[in-house]
Amino acid sequence: MTYTKQSARGLRALAAAVALAFAASPALAQDKVKVGFMLPYTGTFAALGNAITNGFKLAITEQGGKLGGREIEYVTVDDESDPAKAPENVNKLIKRDQVDVIVGTVHSGVAMAMAKAAKDNNALLLVPNAGQDEITGPMCAPNIIRTSFTNSAPGVAMGKVAADRGHKTAVTLTWKYAAGDQSVSGFKQSFEKAGGKVVKELTLPFPTVEFQPLLTEIASLKPDAVYVFFAGGGAVKFVKDYDAAGLRKSIPLYGAGFLTDGTLQAQGASAEGLLTTLHYADELDNPKNNAFRAAYKKAYTIEPDVYAMQGYDTGQLLAAGTKAVGGDMKKRDALIKAMQTAKVDSPRGPFALSRANNPIQDYYLRRVEGGKNKAIGVAIKAYEDPATGCKM
Ligand code: PHB
């Protein structure tokens, strides 16, 4: 045997050993966990996308900047809250970037396209906001996990509150798309069950803010109460317009808590006293919330909101999952199982996931006081949405 042949064989053996070591040891330094953010960074929900990103990264910082002992590589796509661009955007993350996990998004219509792509490609999807009921209903799947809420839930909580406050008639108003429709339908369901009547359901196209004609209509309908779903930039304008139209004092305004979350600084006095329902409130007095709020403020010099909290919990949940598998993202079943069975120590209060991979949680009644969303009660305790049509 010649010297050359011998060394070639040796090299082959060495190469095989190295390849084996790489395959068997996913924790090697160069093998990062790839996290794909698909969130809105422009448009009416831009602040929401940024808050989710900040919250997620804060949770990761608290884990020493790693997931399951591995470094992280972030890939970011601005989904613009545009459902038409969603299939292409999510496919970039799945096929081009081959991320290990997708975190997204805010807008229900965009999230539906993401859920479909996640199902078709068996991609791991963590939903840090979008409440589309179907995602934890007929579209549910083990690889789709939501850390936020279901659209109908804050509405269900508020319908009961409004009826208990003695209101008999209500007008609803929202953007015409899934989140608004489902929020309003939750409100209508519980308001009417408790003896109230929704006399008119008003809508305008997402994300438009031409509220004036609708406010004129509300003024002439003179309902006992108004229930709305708006969020982000649109919510800021709506609350100011409602006040400027002189309606704040004559017809009580209620909303899903997004109406006044992350928006209070811009809404100012127009928001004072508004009642909303949500799975979070600013000053929930639990150690986790106090620590979270202090850390968030220190890192980003602004107050956190519900979106920051949801991003933070998405990071916490993924950290629990990746820890259980030592960072090996290929151990998908064990990773999912660990997340499904985790008890998340959340700033909202501890929560676990339902059989449909959606948080079981309290919905608080909140009042805007001094520029803060203060919890003044629990509207529904340990709410688990019906998850109609979910089989997995
Ligand atoms: C949604 O589209 O599901 C959505 C958007 C913004 C929110 C809440 C829900 O604040």
Side-chain angles (χ1 to χ4, degrees), residues 70-202:
R70 291 167 63 187
E71 301 284 344
I72 304 166
E73 180 183 343
Y74 292 106
V75 185
T76 300
V77 171
D78 176 9
D79 69 35
E80 303 167 48
S81 295
D82 186 348
K85 295 183 185 159
E88 194 189 328
N89 279 333
V90 71
N91 272 319
K92 272 189 220 157
L93 292 177
I94 296 173
K95 304 217 164 102
R96 184 194 64 189
D97 302 322
Q98 304 197 347
V99 298
D100 292 303
V101 53
I102 303 167
V103 175
T105 189
V106 169
H107 182 287
S108 275
V110 176
M112 273 301 267
M114 296 174 75
K116 184 169 182 315
K119 267 176 107 100
D120 291 350
N121 297 282
N122 192 27
L124 181 58
L125 172 63
L126 303 182
V127 183
N129 182 70
Q132 179 103 21
D133 290 1
E134 287 80 357
I135 289 175
T136 51
M139 291 287 287
C140 81
N143 54 308
I144 302 176
I145 295 179
R146 179 155 56 197
T147 56
S148 52
F149 66 97
T150 336
N151 283 329
S152 50
V156 168
M158 189 46 100
K160 171 96 173 55
V161 170
D164 287 351
R165 290 171 65 82
H167 302 312
K168 298 286 180 230
T169 60
V171 167
T172 62
L173 172 59
T174 186
W175 284 312
K176 182 79 204 135
Y177 85 112
D181 291 345
Q182 295 177 344
S183 187
V184 159
S185 112
F187 174 83
K188 184 175 176 174
Q189 177 199 315
S190 66
F191 185 60
E192 298 199 337
K193 196 170 156 207
K197 177 83 190 139
V198 171
V199 292
K200 187 106 195 187
E201 296 179 40
L202 300 170

